[in-house]
Amino acid sequence: MTLFSASTVRRLLANNTSSSSNFLHFARRHLSSTTPVSNFDKLGCIGLGLMGHGIAQTAAMAAAKDNIHSSIIAFESDQKFLDSGRDRIQKSVDKLVSKEKLTSSQADALMGKITFTTDRDALNDTDLIVEAIIENMDLKKQLYSDLGQQCKPETVFASNTSSLSITQMAEASGRPDKFVGIHFFNPVQIMKLVEVIKTEYTDPTVFDNTVKWVDQIGKVAVKCGDTPGFIVNRLLVPNLIQAMLMLERGDATTHDIDISMQLGAGNPMGPLHLADYVGLDTCLFIMQGWVTDFPEERAFVVPEMLKDKVAKGELGRKSGKGFYEWNGDRRGDPVE
């Protein structure tokens, strides 16, 4: 089905240029659902893993403090993952209380803002849904197709993807004018930056309201179009790849590449250290996707060294070995 911006639909309806009754029916139905809500009173969070639990906690803290949300619906399809996400939030909140950054009453108010559920129908009347499930485009498309049919017409959808196309998900949702990207950084509770991504379909008011919401929850919003990797990863991941290619060619050692970028460029850690920290499997997943989708982009290339390490299970920090040896979060010597 062809998708049209709200402005295009309005123009066609005003001029009545189409003789197709089917198109006019579609256009009126599309336009009837394009009036965005002025604020996101009821928030939905889908996925309570590493990123999702942090998003729910951050929004709940702002809701408890400034009452920007009447409620937050935290959804997982599996009770085990729901319980795990609740425990993660509770432990994080308890730590804040122990450090006297929150009082017990503030912690109770924060947790009281969140309703944990495995019932997806609880999301139907939310104003904004932030999705943070696994980075699999087919799964996300199916989810948004389902949500597009079950949620009220005004609900805005937002994906926390770090590298997948916002446009493709928007098209699958059936409401592309009410679809944005909201990319948080890990750990969500600490990192201030949030990339807000628009597509060619995104209603400007929806986009502005989303940027406003990011500010309301205490984050710093930056605006970006739907380019691969958005701003941070579009600049960062090719930098990590170039460091791997330099090592692969034998131009310099792991130690010298990393210390050069620390002392010469002022980076807090070198690119190979950072790649290990992020996860070499994650780096490979992102870059392979970009190479497939954008074969003409010369900056997108997959080093053989990266493929070999991932194939051997050397994923960096998470596996105990990558470009460095690791003991938990403690980095050891470079792997020779």
Side-chain angles (χ1 to χ4, degrees):
M1 178 173 64
T2 303
L3 296 167
F4 301 89
S5 68
S7 59
T8 300
V9 173
R10 290 189 181 93
R11 186 174 66 254
L12 289 169
L13 284 176
N15 296 334
N16 198 21
T17 56
S18 174
S19 60
S20 168
S21 60
N22 288 336
F23 170 77
L24 289 175
H25 171 72
F26 161 77
R28 290 191 179 98
R29 192 162 67 90
H30 175 88
L31 187 57
S32 70
S33 65
T34 56
T35 303
V37 295
S38 59
N39 62 77
F40 302 133
D41 177 60
K42 191 172 185 179
L43 177 70
C45 293
I46 299 180
L48 294 177
L50 181 65
M51 300 300 293
H53 90 277
I55 295 170
Q57 179 184 331
T58 299
M61 183 172 290
K65 179 183 177 183
D66 299 321
N67 202 34
I68 65 168
H69 298 301
S70 61
S71 63
I72 297 166
I73 308 300
F75 169 80
E76 276 279 9
S77 58
D78 189 301
Q79 186 67 46
K80 177 178 67 175
F81 295 128
L82 185 72
D83 293 341
S84 175
R86 182 195 289 111
D87 290 345
R88 274 178 153 173
I89 296 173
Q90 188 66 65
K91 288 177 181 177
S92 179
V93 171
D94 289 345
K95 185 178 291 186
L96 292 173
V97 173
S98 68
K99 292 182 177 180
E100 298 185 348
K101 294 184 177 181
L102 280 181
T103 65
S104 295
S105 61
Q106 288 173 330
D108 291 342
L110 186 160
M111 294 301 296
K113 283 289 185 178
I114 308 175
T115 298
F116 296 91
T117 183
T118 57
D119 179 9
R120 200 166 71 183
D121 285 343
L123 298 166
N124 290 356
D125 63 344
T126 53
D127 299 305
L128 171 68
I129 294 176
V130 182
E131 164 268 313
I133 67 171
I134 188 172
E135 290 283 72
N136 180 296
M137 180 59 87
D138 290 338
L139 289 178
K140 288 179 186 284
K141 283 183 175 180
Q142 185 59 59
L143 172 66
Y144 284 120
S145 176
D146 293 343
L147 290 173
Q149 297 177 55
Q150 76 177 68
C151 292
K152 67 180 183 180
E154 297 82 8
T155 303
V156 173
F157 298 154
S159 178
N160 182 58
T161 183
S162 62
S163 64
L164 299 180
S165 167
I166 302 298
T167 300
Q168 289 185 37
M169 288 181 272
E171 291 172 343
S173 74
R175 55 179 77 184
D177 57 321
K178 295 189 182 62
F179 204 108
V180 295
I182 302 181
H183 180 217
F184 290 80
F185 291 81
N186 182 42
V188 175
Q189 297 92 328
I190 296 173
M191 299 293 280
K192 296 290 289 184
L193 187 70
V194 176
E195 294 172 320
V196 184
I197 300 96
K198 62 182 177 181
T199 74
E200 61 180 300
Y201 305 120
T202 307
D203 186 305
T205 301
V206 168
F207 188 70
D208 290 344
N209 287 344
T210 306
V211 171
K212 176 184 174 183
W213 176 76
V214 170
D215 178 67
Q216 287 176 325
I217 64 171
K219 300 299 184 182
V220 176
V222 291
K223 305 173 185 179
C224 185
D226 190 18
T227 187
F230 317 132
I231 298 173
V232 174
N233 283 336
R234 180 64 184 266
L235 296 173
L236 178 62
V237 175
N239 173 260
L240 306 186
I241 295 298
Q242 285 300 314
M244 297 176 200
L245 291 171
M246 180 171 280
L247 181 64
E248 188 172 86
R249 292 192 301 266
D251 295 339
T253 65
T254 298
H255 172 271
D256 287 353
I257 290 170
D258 278 354
I259 199 69
S260 294
M261 293 307 293
Q262 285 182 269
L263 301 183
N267 293 347
M269 66 177 71
L272 298 174
H273 180 180
L274 180 56
D276 265 8
Y277 194 85
V278 169
L280 301 188
D281 54 336
T282 301
C283 295
L284 179 62
F285 172 81
I286 291 172
M287 189 51 74
Q288 282 182 327
W290 291 354
V291 168
T292 299
D293 293 341
F294 305 95
E296 302 303 317
E297 176 54 70
R298 296 175 63 185
F300 297 162
V301 59
V302 180
E304 290 299 320
M305 174 180 286
L306 177 60
K307 290 189 285 188
D308 290 345
K309 282 188 172 293
V310 172
K312 291 187 293 186
E314 298 177 5
L315 310 181
R317 175 178 58 98
K318 67 178 73 175
S319 69
K321 184 178 182 180
F323 291 106
Y324 291 87
E325 302 285 354
W326 289 83
N327 182 10
D329 286 340
R330 186 183 296 276
R331 195 201 76 185
D333 294 329
V335 172
E336 298 299 335

